[in-house]
Amino acid sequence: MNSGPMLIIVNPSSGKGKGSRTAAAVAELVRQHGVDVEVRHTAASGDAERIARAAMASGTRPLRCVVACGGDGTVQEIANALADARSSLGDACPTLGLAPAGRCNDFARAFRIPTDPAAMADILVNGHALPADLGRVNGRYFCTVATAGVDAEVSSFVDTMRMPLRGTLAYLYGAIRVLIRYRPYDMTITGDFGVIERPVLLASTANTSCYGGAIRIAPDADPTDGLLDLCVIDRVTRLRAIALIPALLAGKHGRCPAVHFLRTQRLTIESRRPLELWADGERIARTPATIEVVPAALRVLQPV
């Protein structure tokens, strides 16, 4: 890691104010190690990516690290800036630091990042910078899981309703509400595994094992293995789908005959009508979609 300053980009609305508190505490602790730190706050969607790109293009002292302080949406924005810059800067590109403080922090969970500010600061100063994969859908990078089908509609429901519930509880409530009226759609999914062409409840393409606040959609997914794990759930009755939720939360849904796990480096999803894809809690694309893994797309600071 270079010896330059550290930039913390914080979503002040994440975690009902937890983002701002976490950023302030982490910045102060990092400064005690003699590291220069700047904290920048976002005000709207897309700000984290714009701030990160501008900071890297400023021509001043190279950054040692850009820290995403917020949830998975904030991480996704900064990851897009860093992954694009890495193609030209190589190892001179800043590393990605993680200060989880959002509604869902599944990318940070995949790298064992704690929620205690002192522990976060220690990783940012002393942690290992190791390569990490990203997914990419229609040219846009994502960090955790890109999904089409019922869970995409659940994500949209949770985002629109702005419920007081957070993380897994919000997704659990949203899943029950959406499943009451949801109808699976015909999809054609093509990848290294061949072709799937049938009505599908969901098709989740995972870089990490969890999404939605520790929902283990693809228990064996690893963001360092150069592969994407695809979970496909065939059309089932509404009651069967609702009954599957506890197993899904425990990562044991693979026991159901309607659930299929596949691995691939690249896949395409097509549907008779355009379907939304969501990733990292954000609307990211629509079908037809091409999803691929980008191995070692960036470096992430991880515990020693």
Side-chain angles (χ1 to χ4, degrees):
M1 187 189 305
N2 66 51
S3 59
M6 185 180 297
L7 172 63
I8 298 177
I9 301 176
V10 55
N11 177 358
S13 64
S14 63
K16 297 182 178 180
K18 182 180 179 182
S20 292
R21 296 190 299 271
T22 299
V26 169
E28 178 58 29
L29 289 163
V30 169
R31 290 187 183 109
Q32 292 176 13
H33 289 272
V35 178
D36 292 337
V37 181
E38 179 184 5
V39 178
R40 297 282 303 276
H41 290 73
T42 65
S45 176
D47 277 358
E49 184 172 347
R50 287 190 287 269
I51 292 169
R53 290 186 186 277
M56 288 186 289
S58 66
T60 57
R61 191 178 174 194
L63 295 169
R64 62 186 281 158
C65 176
V66 179
V67 181
C69 185
D72 287 322
T74 302
V75 177
Q76 183 196 107
E77 290 191 18
I78 295 171
N80 270 268
L82 292 177
D84 282 347
R86 185 165 169 76
S87 62
S88 59
L89 296 177
D91 287 342
C93 180
T95 56
L96 173 65
L98 299 167
R103 183 173 62 190
C104 297
N105 306 290
D106 293 297
F107 195 65
R109 181 176 289 105
F111 293 99
R112 300 178 292 112
I113 307 299
T115 57
D116 173 61
M120 292 181 203
D122 182 67
I123 294 169
L124 294 176
V125 175
N126 301 309
H128 289 312
L130 298 176
D133 305 337
L134 293 176
R136 187 164 57 193
V137 52
N138 290 1
R140 178 78 181 170
Y141 294 101
F142 67 91
C143 299
T144 59
V145 181
T147 186
V150 67
D151 45 354
E153 295 209 11
V154 171
S155 294
S156 179
F157 177 86
V158 171
D159 184 70
T160 302
M161 293 300 291
R162 295 296 181 183
M163 299 176 293
L165 300 174
R166 298 177 60 201
T168 303
L169 287 177
Y171 275 79
L172 177 60
Y173 174 76
I176 294 171
R177 287 287 303 272
V178 170
L179 280 168
I180 290 172
R181 57 175 173 75
Y182 186 76
R183 291 180 54 194
Y185 295 98
D186 289 332
M187 296 186 198
T188 300
I189 306 170
T190 306
D192 299 342
F193 45 80
V195 180
I196 296 171
E197 191 170 10
R198 56 180 179 261
V200 168
L201 182 68
L202 66 81
S204 294
T205 306
N207 184 44
T208 62
S209 62
C210 297
Y211 70 164
I215 298 173
R216 299 180 64 205
I217 188 67
D220 295 329
D222 179 353
T224 65
D225 65 0
L227 293 170
L228 296 169
D229 285 43
L230 176 65
C231 176
V232 176
I233 301 182
D234 296 336
R235 178 173 58 189
V236 294
T237 66
R238 290 184 177 88
L239 287 177
R240 184 70 177 274
I242 292 173
L244 189 59
I245 290 175
L248 184 64
L249 294 175
K252 297 181 179 179
H253 49 299
R255 299 173 181 175
C256 174
V259 177
H260 311 278
F261 293 115
L262 304 158
R263 281 187 171 154
T264 186
Q265 292 179 314
R266 179 184 174 94
L267 70 149
T268 60
I269 301 179
E270 300 172 284
S271 54
R272 290 183 179 178
R273 73 170 182 84
L275 299 176
E276 289 186 346
L277 275 78
W278 282 66
D280 306 327
E282 306 289 335
R283 187 180 290 106
I284 195 169
R286 302 183 74 171
T287 56
T290 297
I291 307 175
E292 58 191 334
V293 67
V294 183
L298 42 65
R299 293 176 301 149
V300 177
L301 284 171
Q302 302 171 44
V304 175

